[in-house]
Amino acid sequence: MDKVVQHIDTFPFYTEYNRGALKESPRVHWINGWKVEFLAFANEATRHLPPVVILGGAFQNFNSYKYCVEPLLETGSVILVDLPSLGSNDQVHNLVTGERSLDLDIGDLAQILGDWTNSVHLNKVSMMGMSLGSVIAANFAAAHPEKMSRLVLMGVMQQTRKSWRMLIQEACDLLHENRMVEFGQAMVLFLVNHARMKETRMSPTARKLFFQQMSNFGLNERLRYEINANRLLRIKHVPSPSCQTLVATGQYDSFTLPHENAKFALSCPHMQFALIKNADHVPQLQKRRETLELFTTFLRGEPIDQLDGIMPMSREELQQMDRRGEERVKLVDSTCQMTHRTKADFNMTVNVVDLTYFGLLLEAGSEANAAAILAEPRDLSIHLPSVDSEGNVISERLSIECLIFEQVGTQVRALLKHGNFETSDRLSAMLASRAVIRD
């Protein structure tokens, strides 16, 4: 990327914002064959302040931010950016250099973003990054401290954990196997904490729309999912920015865990940290008002410690944060069967030592049995006790596929592979039943 080829836009850089503007075709700027799509809005009252650049996750389009732009315009001009293969940017190949978007790592995307800010003369910016966008924003801020005013990161981690990588890989495997209904439900269940639906009050309509988007992926969208999944799987370390940084996360985020966000925040010299109460990985959908008030307050340089629905935490509190998200429970009847998705002759009796909505610890009875389970990392199912709508135990067992995590002696730890809404709801009902769970 030594040579930078610029597309000179003949239109004014900023336009006036209106409700329909986010549905319009984005502006396009080319950096050495890489496509940067953007929309830029300003009003006279705040255009003298550093603009706020928004980097979203993998598949949020610009219209996803229709509730964000007006409040954020009170803190500065607002620029929404989609880098290659992110958001609605459908570029998967560079026709100038012959490179693939798949080969762009997070640092490469941050470099393209840096070249773009130079070519459009953005000398000082604030930045917001959510989910995958948070990792790119952190890399950009670390590489370009002279450009940074303030930085907001939501859903960020410094290193990826094994269980998280297994879930990302499982989604790719479902995609390759064309199991699109299961893929769509799995994506929702990975990102939305269904163990805390009562607290987060995730809208059924939002869940349905999210599922429909994912399960109806076309060829380009499938390619872009694989591209972004591989970018995430290749992450070794996310650098710590030196600017004023807000790290925020949902109180019940089960995708990028609160303690992982906290660990990242502790690595930043000038940070503030906040939990968004009763939210998970998508607070912007569940607690929109509280989330936006948190972001705009921080971007204005005002204190965040008295905001409704927000739980700020000090460095000392972050250092003592509990790593465990859900309580491990024990079954009244812990004897269960394990079967294989395609091998009819695989049937093993195991004991469930403890479990949560997300995973369980199994006693296999012998190291040979444990090794046999470990040899089938993604196609085994555990058949758990089940309950009816009244919470009473019934004869029909609850079958859930597992991702086998690790073996220690005769014991095996597994993730519960959530890929079905009905099964997920039945598991939640079982975990709430005193007839099944032992005190």
Side-chain angles (χ1 to χ4, degrees), residues 157 159-165 254-257 260:
M157 60 176 74
Q159 285 99 20
T160 60
R161 66 185 186 278
K162 180 181 177 181
S163 58
W164 184 89
R165 295 192 301 273
S254 56
F255 190 65
T256 53
L257 303 175
E260 293 174 319

Side-chain angles (χ1 to χ4, degrees), residues 13-15 17-18 21-23 26-28 36-42 51-56 60-70 72-73 77-83 86-87 89 113 116 122 126-128 130:
F13 186 76
Y14 292 109
T15 60
Y17 176 71
N18 62 70
L22 298 180
K23 294 183 179 180
R27 311 258 292 281
V28 174
V36 178
E37 297 184 346
F38 72 99
L39 291 173
F41 306 106
V52 182
V53 175
I54 302 177
L55 300 175
Q60 290 131 325
N61 59 38
F62 289 158
N63 196 52
S64 304
Y65 301 99
K66 58 187 175 183
Y67 301 108
C68 302
V69 175
E70 285 187 72
L72 288 170
L73 279 170
S77 303
V78 175
I79 308 169
L80 299 100
V81 177
D82 277 346
L83 296 167
L86 286 167
N89 188 328
L113 182 60
W116 176 77
L122 294 175
S126 290
M127 192 167 287
M128 282 177 47
M130 291 178 255

Side-chain angles (χ1 to χ4, degrees), residues 145-163:
E146 76 287 351
K147 283 186 174 288
M148 293 304 302
S149 176
R150 288 178 168 258
L151 176 65
V152 176
L153 303 175
M154 189 165 71
V156 67
M157 60 176 74
Q158 200 156 50
Q159 285 99 20
T160 60
R161 66 185 186 278
K162 180 181 177 181
S163 58

